[in-house]
Amino acid sequence: MTSAPLKTIAVFASGGGTNLQSLLNRIETGELPARIAFVLSNNSKARALERARQYNIPAIHLSTKTHPDPAQYAAELLALLKKHDVSLIALAGYMKQLPPGVVQVFHGRIVNIHPSLLPKFGGAGMFGINVHEAVIAAGEKESGASVHFVTENYDEGPVIMQEKVPVLPGDVPVTLSIRVLEVEHRLYPEAVRRVLAGEITMK
Ligand code: GRF
């Protein structure tokens, strides 16, 4: 009996890539039946690209600096995605907006992880430590992580999965970020698995 070919993911990341690592780990254990076709970053120094190389996964640096013409940049991205027969784009700490053309072609097939309980603390300026700072400043009693579909308006696409963590007395942005990141590493591979399996679709 031959089994169905594995679904293909492209991971876009700008920084450390610990969420990329969580996907790689679950692929290795077999809990996430998928293949990462390539990892793309706008930042040539991203640790995420190094992680990809360690797994012999193509690590691609593509940015608006290397491709200043927006149409050409979008065309290059789409060509890469097509060449690698990508089923799903997983954004994992990707700090750049995707070109609208890519969002349209991959409608319902782009996911992102965000370190708050969306729709709270999403949108412009809400990235990295800023999110946790804002959560603490607002006196929230809980925070968490959200995985959502990506639409034209960032952080506004339908939520796929969320998990809460408490905000503890004495928390500072870094302590809260560590607690949320731990949850992210569990949540993202499971959300990606469910989307790839067709258990959750974008309405
Ligand atoms: C995570 O907190 C994620 O929610 C946000 O960016 C951060 C990326 O961290 N979108 P890493 O690069 O995966 O370690």
Side-chain angles (χ1 to χ4, degrees):
M1 202 178 83
T2 52
S3 47
L6 288 173
K7 293 257 175 74
T8 303
I9 309 171
V11 179
F12 288 21
S14 302
T18 64
N19 278 290
L20 162 66
Q21 189 65 53
S22 76
L23 296 171
L24 288 164
N25 293 347
R26 296 294 177 95
I27 288 173
E28 256 185 341
T29 62
E31 289 161 279
L32 176 57
R35 194 171 65 79
I36 297 182
F38 63 87
V39 173
L40 181 138
S41 185
N42 58 304
N43 169 12
S44 61
K45 303 217 163 40
R47 169 95 173 87
L49 290 179
E50 260 173 60
R51 291 183 199 266
R53 289 185 201 106
Q54 278 164 6
Y55 284 76
N56 288 320
I57 293 171
I60 300 169
H61 171 226
L62 189 75
S63 80
T64 44
K65 285 188 188 122
T66 54
H67 289 71
D69 174 36
Q72 222 180 40
Y73 172 70
E76 181 81 13
L77 263 183
L78 283 169
L80 268 172
L81 293 160
K82 190 167 180 211
K83 177 176 151 201
H84 288 272
D85 195 19
V86 167
S87 303
L88 184 79
I89 301 173
L91 306 182
Y94 188 60
M95 303 298 280
K96 288 281 167 194
Q97 285 259 357
L98 289 176
V102 173
V103 178
Q104 276 153 23
V105 172
F106 277 78
H107 180 83
R109 296 192 295 142
I110 310 175
V111 295
N112 182 40
I113 181 142
H114 185 82
S116 78
L117 296 173
L118 291 173
K120 283 183 158 184
F121 305 101
M126 284 295 116
F127 57 86
I129 207 74
N130 299 358
V131 177
H132 308 293
E133 258 166 30
V135 168
I136 290 172
E140 296 287 320
K141 294 283 174 285
E142 57 186 19
S143 189
S146 307
V147 180
H148 64 96
F149 286 109
V150 171
T151 54
E152 274 78 359
N153 297 331
Y154 260 61
D155 298 341
E156 287 181 18
V159 168
I160 298 164
M161 285 178 82
Q162 278 184 324
E163 193 175 324
K164 291 177 180 169
V165 303
V167 178
L168 299 176
D171 256 341
V172 291
V174 168
T175 52
L176 180 57
S177 74
I178 292 168
R179 197 172 308 122
V180 172
L181 198 58
E182 216 178 283
V183 164
E184 290 184 38
H185 295 160
R186 210 174 30 246
L187 197 67
Y188 208 21
E190 177 57 12
V192 166
R193 188 196 68 72
R194 290 188 190 180
V195 172
L196 281 179
E199 291 171 22
I200 302 177
T201 53
M202 187 164 104
K203 295 285 177 308

